[in-house]
Amino acid sequence: MNIGEAARASGISAKMIRHYEAIGLIAAGRGANHYRVYSQADVAELRFIRHARDLGFPLQDVKRLLDLWRNRARASAEVKRLALDHVAALEAKAKSLSAMAESLRHLADHCHGDARPECPILEELAGAFSSQVASLGDSENATKQAFSSQAVPLGGSENATKKQER
Amino acid sequence: MNIGEAARASGISAKMIRHYEAIGLIAAGRGANHYRVYSQADVAELRFIRHARDLGFPLQDVKRLLDLWRNRARASAEVKRLALDHVAALEAKAKSLSAMAESLRHLADHCHGDARPECPILEELAGAFSSQVASLGDSENATKQAFSSQAVPLGGSENATKKQER
DNA sequence: CTTGACCTTCCCATTATGGGAGGCGCCACA
DNA sequence: TGTGGCGCCTCCCATAATGGGAAGGTCAAG
C-alpha cells in the first residue's frame, strides 16, 4: 500500500511517517514509481509507534522499544527499565504541573476578578515569593535525572482534534 | 547595570533576556558602548517574567500579564481569567500525564523484568489496546479549548539545574 | 488528453532555550 | 602603553515533534 493508506491504517499522518523514516525509526520500500510501499508488517510497526507515543514516550525511547520489539533475544528487564523510568518522568512532570496549578489557583482565589485594578496575582508575580513552586518539582530526589526539561514530550494523542481547536 | 548583572539579579539568562527583547516582551536602553543598560525597574520586570514562567505561563500569556501589570487601569477580572484558564490547562495536562503513567505502570507491573524475552509491555504496544489513555485527556470537555498541544510550556524552573544533569 | 487525487522533495514555522563563532569594548596589570 | 582576559555584541544552529505549503511527478478515471 501507499503512504496515505498506511497513514489511515496506523493513525499516523503521512507527514510523520516520512519523518520517522528520515530519522531512522522505520524503513520503507519503494515501488517502480519511487512511491513508498508499506506492508502489513510496516503498518504494525507504525501502530506500535503510535501506541508508544500515546503513552508519552519520546521518539528516542520509541526507537529503543522498537529495536527491542524486533529483537527476539531481548531481555524484558530492559523494556521494563525504560518503562519505569518513563513512568517516573511522567509522574514527576504531572506533579510539577499540579503544583503550579495549585499555587496559581490559590492566587486566583484571592483575586476579586472585577473591574478594579487591585490584583493579588499580579502582586505575587511582581514580588515576594521566591521559589515555592520551583522547589516542589525537585523535592523528591532521583526524579531529576530522568528530567531534562523536555524529557516528557506530552501531547501524546491530542493531535487528532487539533485542527478543530484552531 | 549591564545584561550580565541583570541576569544574575533576575535569574534569567542573558541569552533569554536578549530573546525576550527580540520578541518584544521587554525593552532595554543602550549605553554609549551600545551595551544594553538595565534599571531596577527593568530587573523587576524580568523577575515578574520569571515568576510567571515558573508558574508555567507561556510567553504569550506572560506578555499579556506584563501589559496588565504595567497598566494601572487594568481590570483584575482579566488577570483572573488568564490565570484560571491556565490553571485548567495545567490540570488537564497533569491529568493526561498521570493517566499515561498509570497505564504504563499497569503494563510494567505485569512484566517479569528478567532476562527472558516475553514482555507484556511490548505486546501491548504492538497490539490490541486502542485508545484507553488517549480518551482520558478528552474525557472532560471544555479543557480542549485551552489546549493546543503545547498550551502548557512546562519545564518552568528546572532550568537552574540543567547543566548538572548533562 | 485532461482533471483530480495522490505522491515526491524541500523549505519554513512553531515553543523556549542553549551553544558557539567571530568581533569589539573595557579594565587592570605589568 | 600594550596586552590579556572577561563581558558584551550580533548571527547562525540545534533541540522535539508536528504541521503547512510550494513546485512538480504519477496514475486512474472520464
Side-chain angles (χ1 to χ4, degrees), chain A:
Chain A
M1 71 185 79
N2 285 340
I3 199 171
E5 200 181 337
R8 264 166 265 131
S10 66
I12 296 180
S13 72
K15 207 92 192 202
M16 277 301 101
I17 295 178
R18 290 193 198 98
H19 179 61
Y20 292 162
E21 182 184 344
I23 64 174
L25 248 195
I26 52 173
R30 296 290 179 133
N33 46 11
H34 63 276
Y35 281 16
R36 289 173 181 80
V37 178
Y38 297 89
S39 65
Q40 281 310 124
D42 293 329
V43 171
E45 291 205 348
L46 287 171
R47 274 203 269 252
F48 181 99
I49 292 172
R50 186 168 66 76
H51 294 327
R53 293 287 303 134
D54 285 347
L55 287 173
F57 283 102
L59 289 180
Q60 206 173 4
D61 286 15
V62 173
K63 173 145 184 56
R64 287 196 277 170
L65 289 169
L66 210 40
D67 288 343
L68 288 167
W69 184 44
R70 291 168 180 145
N71 174 15
R72 286 164 187 271
R74 76 212 162 212
S76 62
E78 194 170 347
V79 181
K80 188 166 185 173
R81 191 177 45 69
L82 264 177
L84 289 180
D85 283 358
H86 184 53
V87 166
L90 288 168
E91 288 175 346
K93 192 58 88 177
K95 186 173 293 190
S96 168
L97 292 179
S98 295
M100 289 182 201
E102 197 186 351
S103 293
L104 192 51
R105 196 183 278 286
H106 279 309
L107 292 183
D109 283 347
H110 296 304
C111 176
H112 296 300
D114 54 21
R116 287 172 292 172
E118 297 83 48
C119 180
I121 301 173
L122 292 179
E123 281 161 26
E124 280 294 295
L125 288 176
F129 89 115
S130 47
S131 59
Q132 305 149 356
V133 180
S135 61
L136 260 170
D138 294 351
S139 66
E140 262 53 46
N141 49 5
T143 54
K144 265 196 286 186
Q145 268 90 15
F147 211 81
S148 75
S149 86
Q150 288 304 356
V152 178
L154 312 178
S157 53
E158 289 86 9
N159 303 327
T161 53
K162 226 190 225 170
K163 279 156 210 152
Q164 298 165 346
E165 298 166 35
R166 296 224 147 181

Side-chain angles (χ1 to χ4, degrees), chain B:
Chain B
M1 70 184 81
N2 286 339
I3 199 171
E5 200 181 337
R8 263 166 266 132
S10 66
I12 296 180
S13 72
K15 207 90 193 203
M16 278 301 100
I17 295 178
R18 290 192 200 100
H19 180 60
Y20 293 161
E21 182 183 345
I23 64 175
L25 248 194
I26 53 174
R30 295 290 179 131
N33 46 13
H34 63 274
Y35 281 16
R36 288 171 181 82
V37 177
Y38 298 88
S39 65
Q40 282 310 123
D42 293 330
V43 171
E45 291 205 348
L46 288 170
R47 275 203 269 251
F48 181 99
I49 293 172
R50 187 168 67 77
H51 294 326
R53 293 285 305 132
D54 284 348
L55 287 174
F57 282 101
L59 288 179
Q60 206 173 4
D61 286 15
V62 174
K63 172 145 186 53
R64 288 196 276 169
L65 289 170
L66 210 40
D67 288 343
L68 288 166
W69 185 45
R70 291 167 179 147
N71 174 15
R72 285 164 186 271
R74 77 212 162 213
S76 63
E78 195 170 347
V79 182
K80 187 165 185 174
R81 192 178 42 69
L82 265 176
L84 289 180
D85 283 359
H86 184 52
V87 167
L90 287 167
E91 287 175 347
K93 191 59 87 176
K95 187 174 292 189
S96 168
L97 292 179
S98 295
M100 288 183 202
E102 196 185 351
S103 292
L104 191 51
R105 196 183 277 288
H106 279 309
L107 291 184
D109 282 348
H110 295 304
C111 176
H112 297 299
D114 54 21
R116 288 172 291 174
E118 296 84 46
C119 180
I121 300 172
L122 292 179
E123 281 161 26
E124 281 295 294
L125 287 175
F129 90 115
S130 46
S131 60
Q132 306 147 356
V133 180
S135 61
L136 261 170
D138 296 351
S139 65
E140 262 52 46
N141 50 4
T143 55
K144 265 195 288 187
Q145 267 91 15
F147 210 82
S148 77
S149 85
Q150 289 303 355
V152 179
L154 311 177
S157 55
E158 290 85 11
N159 304 327
T161 52
K162 226 189 221 173
K163 280 155 209 154
Q164 298 166 345
E165 297 166 35
R166 296 223 144 183

